[in-house]
Amino acid sequence: MPADPVPLLDVRDLCVSVPANGSMIRLVENVSFCVNEAEIVGLVGESGSGKSVTAMALMGLIDSPGVQVSGSARFRGQELVGMAPRALRNLRGGDIAMIFQDPMTAFTPVYTIGWQIDEQIRAHERLSRRAARARTVQLLAEMGVPDPARTAQRYPHQLSGGLRQRAMIAMALSCNPTLLIADEPTTALDVTVQAQILDLLRGLRHSHGSSVLLITHDMGVVAQTCSRTLVLYSGRMAESGPTATLFARPAHPYTAALLDSIPPLYGTRPHRLPAIAGVPPTPQERPAGCAFGPRCAYVHATCLPAPPPLASIGAGQQAACVLPTEGKPLPPRATAQAMQP
Amino acid sequence: MTHPTPVLELRDVRKTYRLPHGQRLRAVDGISLRVMPGEMLGLVGESGCGKSTLGRCMLRLDDVSSGQVLFEGRDITTLSERKLRPLRPGMQMVFQNSTAALNPRRSIGDLLAEPLRVHPGPDGRRRAAATITARLHELMALVGLPASALARYPHAFSGGQRQRINIARALALSPRLVVADEPVSALDVSVQAQIVNLFAELRERLGLTYVFVAHDLAVVRQISTRVAVMYLGAIVECGGTDDVLHAPAHPYTAALIAAVPRPMVGAPPAMLLRGDVPSPVNRPAGCRFHTRCPQAQARCSAEEPQLRAIRPNHEVACHYPPGEENPPA
Ligand SMILES: Nc1ncnc2c1ncn2[C@@H]1O[C@H](COP(=O)(O)OP(=O)(O)O)[C@@H](O)[C@H]1O
Ligand code: SF4
Ligand SMILES: [Mg+2]
């Protein structure tokens, strides 16, 4: 049997805490996952579930006073947690790049996008202005930007949302990162443009050999893009596994309920959607046992004393729920969405 | 056979904004439609296509540039605000941003009581305090919030609860028509389903007529009996929900549906449209979709297709809808 490949990024028991009212609050608790070479991994969850905090912690970008990050995150064997800020800065924009929901956060309004991408390239490589611009124009073209030489001469606000997003991805790719962390990169875009950007992200594995950690709240985006998926709930892992397995046989009641609450585009239209009652708890008001307990249809006594540990379900799937260990796994999804009308 | 009066009728409605340098932005570019009692019309399209402007024109929250708006058969296009006022209770709006719509310094009870204090009751007289209090309790029960919520302030509520409060406020005066502009798009999926269900429940209990402005086609399907698809200020396709979503006749509708990332692994890959939506300031001549259309032909850039019925209750504005062997000359 071949040995498992060494993952590009290997995150174990990542915790992020911030001080509030005299005590430390865990925004992210024991998150573990890995990203392999040329793989797209999805990090899904509702707002406030800790997706962005996880990503920012990996990049050393949480600067709130008193923040504590513990656990381990190895990128090509190098430990990122506790790495000197300078070394981290070199890694960012080099081997690891990040893109955001709002491209305006990546660009300064007062310079043309071409100038900004040139500068990014020149910060990491000795290149003449002219050579850098040639690379910029080529990158923009690869990202599907029409008329890239002219587009490079425009200011961020002169571009449409879709073009700005492409320009930001071009800038992120300018230093040939092996890992791209994309935080809700298509959330602000229309579906037809979103489909183009997702297609672009899927292509990066082949065109640039890059891996992507894709952060999203949209189960549809995950299904169409990611080979493996991690579901976060209230700062903790609810479930992780191969995307196809997760969608066909979710092992955590939260994953199952979340999938069921999405209205179907085809097939029978339910009279009422199977909604999940209530709202996710904030980190401050997270209950003692399973964080999903108060909203879970299967909650029982063993769920309440302590957060259920991650149990291995098989074939790379794990769920933080007591049901599988008690021999009462969830049934496969009955309401899987019909493919076609 | 007598036809019931539409709750809302638009006749060739246009809304044009004048920009600097003499440019004109045609946000709504000649829209006609009827919404019948009890109907739930979903208005879909990408950002900037004019959905929200049209929604505001429907309720005369915006004045139209030309055309007519009829509410329950009455032309309200040019009514003065004073004449419009007695009609306002019958038509209400729910907005996307539940936070911005609620003044943070006023209690929920106070916010909900305001329309009841401002507008006279059905008997034409001011409502008594006790009547208002009773109505507030009714409204809370209607939207699934405890009466204790009335004494609290907006910040104490989650996004989904605030949207319930907004809905309660829109319902305070017992409207017959509710226009909801992206009422669930800012909510998390698990909460979105609750609010979608609430809209369905309210319609059954109160006999409301809805216009839903939304970009999420799956949500629209769950909530609408009829769908109108907008592109650059015009309706390009309109018909029964599943007729439009499952047998789209306009290539734009087909592309929009194909682009929805389905929550299932192994769904066929999206058919990709080229480019972004053009600017409504320079909308393409001929068919407004021809610059992105995968099946455009010479005629499409020259001649604007009109909305026409291809089946009963299914209209499309395309020269070459699928399944039509001999397109009209
Ligand atoms: N700097 C911070 N200080 C305190 N709390 C924070 C900070 N940043 C985020 N949070 C809280 O951490 C939780 C997770 O946030 P986030 O990672 O942004 O979630 P997501 O990206 O999944 O929407 C939220 O409750 C949020 O309010
Ligand atoms: S541990 Fe209990 S409460 Fe939590 S998801 Fe599993 S069954 Fe539900
Ligand atoms: Mg986030």
Side-chain angles (χ1 to χ4, degrees), chain A residues 89-291:
Chain A
R89 214 174 312 129
N90 277 333
L91 216 50
R92 290 198 299 265
D95 263 344
I96 309 181
M98 191 158 180
I99 58 173
F100 304 92
Q101 176 175 338
D102 181 4
M104 292 309 258
T105 55
F107 289 113
T108 323
V110 294
Y111 297 109
T112 65
I113 60 142
W115 191 89
Q116 297 184 56
I117 301 176
D118 298 349
E119 283 303 297
Q120 172 87 8
I121 293 172
R122 280 156 53 89
H124 289 265
E125 245 178 285
R126 276 167 191 266
L127 274 186
S128 69
R129 219 158 243 300
R130 179 188 280 241
R133 175 53 59 100
R135 169 90 67 81
T136 297
V137 170
Q138 188 200 335
L139 274 166
L140 288 172
E142 282 168 16
M143 295 310 114
V145 172
D147 202 351
R150 251 188 57 206
T151 307
Q153 292 165 20
R154 313 192 67 176
Y155 292 89
H157 70 268
Q158 295 176 312
L159 303 181
S160 68
L163 277 184
R164 273 203 297 261
Q165 201 60 275
R166 285 170 196 273
M168 179 165 63
I169 298 175
M171 180 151 86
L173 293 179
S174 63
C175 301
N176 295 315
T178 32
L179 176 65
L180 181 67
I181 301 181
D183 191 352
E184 305 265 11
T186 60
T187 302
L189 303 175
D190 283 315
V191 282
T192 60
V193 181
Q194 166 171 278
Q196 297 164 359
I197 299 292
L198 293 181
D199 194 54
L200 186 61
L201 290 178
R202 276 191 296 258
L204 292 182
R205 282 169 305 164
H206 311 297
S207 62
H208 290 75
S210 309
S211 303
V212 183
L213 178 63
L214 181 64
I215 297 176
T216 176
H217 67 281
D218 188 331
M219 290 303 245
V221 167
V222 168
Q224 301 312 314
T225 318
C226 305
S227 56
R228 286 186 305 119
T229 296
L230 181 78
V231 181
L232 288 185
Y233 186 80
S234 189
R236 295 180 187 151
M237 292 173 69
E239 178 162 8
S240 72
T243 310
T245 314
L246 221 78
F247 277 68
R249 290 186 303 280
H252 196 288
Y254 173 62
T255 315
L258 197 59
L259 288 170
D260 284 343
S261 67
I262 303 171
L265 198 48
Y266 292 99
T268 338
R269 189 160 27 159
H271 180 61
R272 293 281 185 269
L273 292 172
I276 311 176
V279 291
T282 63
Q284 283 90 332
E285 57 195 19
R286 199 180 285 143
C290 174

Side-chain angles (χ1 to χ4, degrees), chain A residues 46-47 160 190-192 194 196 199 220 223-224 247 263-267 269-273 276-278 295 338-339, chain B residues 46-47 158 188 190 193-194 197 200-201 204 218 221-222 224 246 256 259 261-266 272-273 275-276 292:
Chain A
E46 301 178 73
S47 52
S160 68
D190 283 315
V191 282
T192 60
Q194 166 171 278
Q196 297 164 359
D199 194 54
Q224 301 312 314
F247 277 68
L265 198 48
Y266 292 99
R269 189 160 27 159
H271 180 61
R272 293 281 185 269
L273 292 172
I276 311 176
R295 305 174 75 193
M339 254 316 183
Chain B
E46 297 178 276
S47 55
S158 67
D188 276 315
S190 83
Q194 297 169 13
N197 286 344
E201 235 161 72
E204 286 162 21
R221 175 171 187 249
Q222 181 63 28
S224 321
H246 295 168
L256 203 57
R262 307 267 306 279
M264 52 184 298
V265 176
L272 295 181
L273 275 186
D276 295 346
R292 299 174 81 200

